[in-house]
Structures are given as C-alpha cells and as structure tokens.
Amino acid sequence: MTVLSRGLSWIDLKFRDRPHAIATAVIDGGGTLGLVDPGPSTCLETLELGLQQQGLRLGDVTHLLLTHIHLDHAGATGTIVRRYPHVTVLVHERGAVHMADPAKLLASAARLYGDQMDILWGEVAAVPPQNLVALRGGEQLDVGGRTFDVAYTPGHASHHVSYFDPASGVAFVGDTAGICIDSGYVLPPTPPPDIDIELWTASVARIEAWSPRTLFLTHFGPAPSVRPHLQAVLHNLETLAGFVRALLGQPGSDHEQSVGFAEMLRRELRGQMTGTQLDSYDLAAPFEQLWLGLARYWRKRSA
Ligand SMILES: [Zn+2]
C-alpha cells in the first residue's frame, strides 16, 4: 500500500535496484500535481512507471517540491524541467542558486562519490531561473488541492526545508528526521559539508511544533510514531557525534577513521536488521560519509 491519504501517495524509486532506499511523494488534486523530491535522473524511468501505475504522467507534474538539493533528492530536477518547461521548482533560496548552476554542487558531490557519479546520479541539468521559486520558510504553498506550510529546517543541509499538510497531518521532512527503513533504526544522515547539531535540533523542534500525524521520509516513506521517531533521530545524532568526537582524539588518518567508523556502525546495525535493509541504509547514507560530516562539524566548532 503506497497511499498516505486521498491524493497523497508515494513511489519507491528502487534506487540501484534496491527496495526502500529513495521515495518520491506524489500530491495529486485540484488540477495540479506535485512531487516531493523527484530523486536522481537514474531513477526517472521508475518514477514515470510509478506515476503510470497511478494513472498519472510525468508530463502532468506541475510542481517539484525539493526538501534540499542533494542529488539523491533533487538530481533529476533539471532533466524533468527540460522535458516539461511548465514545471515550477520550489527550493530554499540557498539551494536555488545551485539548481540554476549546478557546477559547485557537482564538484562537492564528486569529492564524495568520485568515479561513481554517473552510475549513481546520471544527468544533473541546470534549472532555468524562471522555473525556480526560492523559499525561506514561513510560506504557504497551494499544490495538489492542498495548502502546505513551509519551514526552514537546516542541520542536515544548510538549505533544507520541510513541508506540512495540515489537512492530512503529513510532514514531508526530507532528511531532517533521518533515515528509517522498514520501521527500523532511525539513522541521522550526516554527510559533509553542512552538518550542524544545534541547528538540526532546532529543526526537529520546528517539525514537532506542527504536531504531525505522520512524518514522510525520503529514506524511506511514512513514519507514524512521530514523537518517538523524532526523539530517536536526536538521540542517535548525539550518540554518533559523540563517537566521532572521541575518535578525533585518537591517531589515524581521516580515511582510516571513517572506514573504522563505518565498520562499527555496520556491526551495530547488523544485529537489528536484515542484510538487504542494511544495504539500503548504506545506500541512502554511505556510512563512511557520516564520519566525514561529523568530523567537519567538530573541527569547525573547535576552530
Ligand atoms: Zn541529504
């Protein structure tokens, strides 16, 4: 079942042929069609198929609501807009500049993904400025027959926003409420360069203040136990940050430390889930990167 509420559903993009790694939410009604986080270009065919199964077409999409511009969430945006130039793209103002000119975004991603860039993400095309609507938080958006509240929710990324639909009680929170695959462990994704624990904590409080009935996570899908879930993401963020801080005081290169951290996390999670689920977590948030983002956070703090 992939229906959240009347006119609200989601599609499993089957990223890298794995289930439950990336989800796109579909908002359909009132003569408009919105997608929250269309995912990377490498999943476009799956996205189209998923829409077709609901009797919809990619060409019917009127709005792309980006929670943030990381390529697993927003990589296909420019390609979709080139095919369908009527599409409006909603994104935080700090992300809008990089959607219009993705050179810096691509350079930053290439530092993390190296020669895997094409295989993982495929094309990342620029979005013409006239298609972009820059958000700051505090707006209300009419899409798919609903009115969404927008909140600025940095911490995972400095340009992250979340969207709340009071009518259904669903909050679309991108990566701010972490990754939770098949109701398992709530993993906060902490890739470089923007991780900020104080901002992230405030963003979680901002989401909780909406009193959502359900959180919708890009990785992966609806999380109905809102309060325990939000507590878990902050608790686990604090725990992982503590591990990294302790490791920073020990000898070893960044590479050695990040590999050691990833191994520790894999051991820890292996006891709690199947191998397939573990792979989906690692795909949604490569474990070595989690160390890098938190190490950068601590170094910035002590500088
Ligand atoms: Zn992200």
Side-chain angles (χ1 to χ4, degrees):
M1 193 66 171
T2 58
V3 175
L4 285 163
S5 170
R6 217 170 112 88
L8 282 184
S9 60
W10 81 94
I11 293 167
D12 184 347
L13 297 186
K14 305 209 175 72
F15 181 51
R16 309 287 291 148
D17 292 325
R18 292 216 178 84
H20 299 184
I22 303 179
T24 293
V26 181
I27 308 154
D28 178 28
T32 56
L33 178 62
L35 301 179
V36 182
D37 289 350
S41 296
T42 45
C43 295
L44 254 181
E45 265 181 50
T46 317
L47 179 63
E48 287 202 82
L49 267 174
L51 287 168
Q52 278 167 26
Q53 282 163 3
Q54 302 190 28
L56 302 167
R57 291 175 313 147
L58 193 57
D60 299 333
V61 170
T62 53
H63 297 78
L64 296 175
L65 289 76
L66 307 181
T67 61
H68 62 304
I69 65 172
H70 289 165
L71 299 177
D72 50 334
H73 296 251
T77 304
T79 307
I80 295 173
V81 171
R82 190 178 59 223
R83 276 164 69 176
Y84 305 107
H86 63 271
V87 172
T88 298
V89 177
L90 300 143
V91 59
H92 188 262
E93 58 183 359
R94 288 196 188 188
V97 285
H98 301 293
M99 287 279 97
D101 177 4
K104 274 193 188 158
L105 171 65
L106 287 170
S108 165
R111 278 197 287 278
L112 293 174
Y113 295 100
D115 59 6
Q116 297 296 297
M117 286 289 287
D118 268 352
I119 293 171
L120 290 169
W121 315 125
E123 184 188 44
V124 179
V127 178
Q130 66 268 24
N131 291 82
L132 290 164
V133 173
L135 304 170
R136 311 180 81 163
E139 296 86 352
Q140 292 203 315
L141 305 172
D142 293 322
V143 179
R146 296 165 185 274
T147 302
F148 291 84
D149 293 332
V150 182
Y152 179 44
T153 51
H156 166 78
S158 64
H159 57 273
H160 197 298
V161 292
S162 298
Y163 304 94
F164 180 57
D165 169 34
S168 63
V170 181
F172 299 87
V173 295
D175 284 347
T176 305
I179 296 167
C180 186
I181 291 165
D182 305 333
S183 308
Y185 180 83
V186 183
L187 176 67
T190 59
D194 289 343
I195 298 308
D196 187 308
I197 293 171
E198 287 74 21
L199 290 177
W200 199 330
T201 304
S203 293
V204 167
R206 181 69 199 78
I207 289 167
E208 193 164 12
W210 275 329
S211 300
R213 269 204 297 271
T214 300
L215 304 170
F216 187 85
L217 318 176
T218 305
H219 321 287
F220 183 93
S225 305
V226 173
R227 278 211 72 187
H229 183 104
L230 292 176
Q231 282 166 355
V233 74
L234 290 183
H235 174 80
N236 294 340
L237 180 61
E238 205 176 301
T239 304
L240 294 183
F243 273 129
V244 171
R245 193 179 202 179
L247 274 174
L248 281 173
Q250 290 169 23
S253 68
D254 278 10
H255 178 70
E256 287 163 352
Q257 298 248 27
S258 64
V259 169
F261 175 83
E263 278 168 7
M264 180 212 71
L265 190 57
R266 258 179 224 117
R267 265 199 310 276
E268 178 72 26
L269 296 184
R270 197 168 285 141
Q272 306 185 31
M273 60 185 69
T274 68
T276 309
Q277 286 164 340
L278 185 62
D279 287 347
S280 292
Y281 275 88
D282 206 354
L283 199 58
F287 294 164
E288 280 84 1
Q289 291 180 17
L290 305 187
W291 187 89
L292 292 170
L294 287 167
R296 186 179 158 101
Y297 163 76
W298 288 120
R299 285 170 177 150
K300 256 198 282 194
R301 277 256 312 226
S302 65

